[in-house]
Amino acid sequence: MGSRGGNEWRCGTCGEPHQGLVTVFGAQAPDVWLQASATERKAGELSGDVCVLEVGGERHYFLRGHIEIPLIDSPGEVFSWSAWVSLSQESTQKIADNWDDPARASMPPVFGWLCNELPYETPTTSIATHVHNRVPGMVPYIELDPSIDHPLVREQASGISLHRLAEINKAVMG
Ligand SMILES: [Zn+2]
């Protein structure tokens, strides 16, 4: 988990101090994994990067990536939702075959559906995404389809303020 360490600072939006804001929040698994039965999970597979789950006789493949959102007040810094996307078997196989290859950073992006409900006023599950592989050791970058009208998609396109980051911290941690 990353965070903005350092000194307390006073927010220009609300005038309150926001300190030590966490800049990565993540889901441990696709939501369907958490809803699956113990038997389905036992037959499936879940690691920090990939997930395979068979539901109703159909195999589903998931990959974890980062939905990065630029922090407007902190150029060069990002907030990341660590989230899961479902991929076709073909895309999953292609990524698995090249997982340790530095050249995977130049693989063309693959299509995926977002598979986690994030704290937004409209549902985030099934937002269309393009998953960009990066060098080994770096989680793939999830680019939300920019043509979709959704607050999360707008945040990725335009960035968020540190005040908004504080709101996200509050929404996740209470
Ligand atoms: Zn504020």
Side-chain angles (χ1 to χ4, degrees):
M1 272 215 181
S3 77
R4 292 192 87 251
N7 299 325
E8 186 174 284
W9 53 280
R10 199 157 288 278
C11 175
T13 306
C14 67
E16 293 295 315
H18 301 310
Q19 196 181 14
L21 295 173
V22 175
T23 53
V24 185
F25 283 114
Q28 302 301 315
D31 288 353
V32 284
W33 176 269
L34 304 173
Q35 293 148 7
S37 69
T39 314
E40 287 169 332
R41 267 184 258 177
K42 210 166 169 195
E45 182 193 330
L46 175 69
S47 75
D49 299 303
V50 291
C51 177
V52 182
L53 184 66
E54 195 170 314
V55 182
E58 210 186 315
R59 267 169 106 70
H60 298 271
Y61 299 85
F62 307 90
L63 186 72
R64 184 179 68 94
H66 275 182
I67 302 168
E68 293 182 355
I69 299 174
L71 293 174
I72 297 165
D73 317 299
S74 259
E77 284 189 67
V78 295
F79 166 73
S80 303
W81 289 114
S82 174
W84 294 79
V85 291
S86 65
L87 304 179
S88 69
Q89 182 182 5
E90 193 192 350
S91 298
T92 305
Q93 191 58 51
K94 214 181 288 172
I95 291 169
D97 290 345
N98 294 281
W99 193 249
D100 296 316
D101 181 357
R104 84 174 156 101
S106 51
M107 285 169 67
V110 297
F111 182 84
W113 299 106
L114 189 56
C115 291
N116 289 113
E117 218 25 67
L118 301 171
Y120 285 81
E121 59 266 37
T122 26
T124 58
T125 301
S126 298
I127 290 179
T129 75
H130 304 282
V131 182
H132 299 255
N133 282 281
R134 300 192 278 201
V135 291
M138 246 190 130
V139 263
Y141 173 78
I142 300 174
E143 178 199 9
L144 305 170
D145 187 326
S147 69
I148 294 168
D149 182 28
H150 189 284
L152 175 59
V153 180
R154 284 196 292 274
E155 287 190 344
Q156 182 171 53
S158 316
I160 58 171
S161 65
L162 289 175
H163 174 73
R164 171 64 184 139
L165 177 62
E167 281 182 347
I168 291 173
N169 271 246
K170 210 182 277 178
V172 175
M173 298 195 292

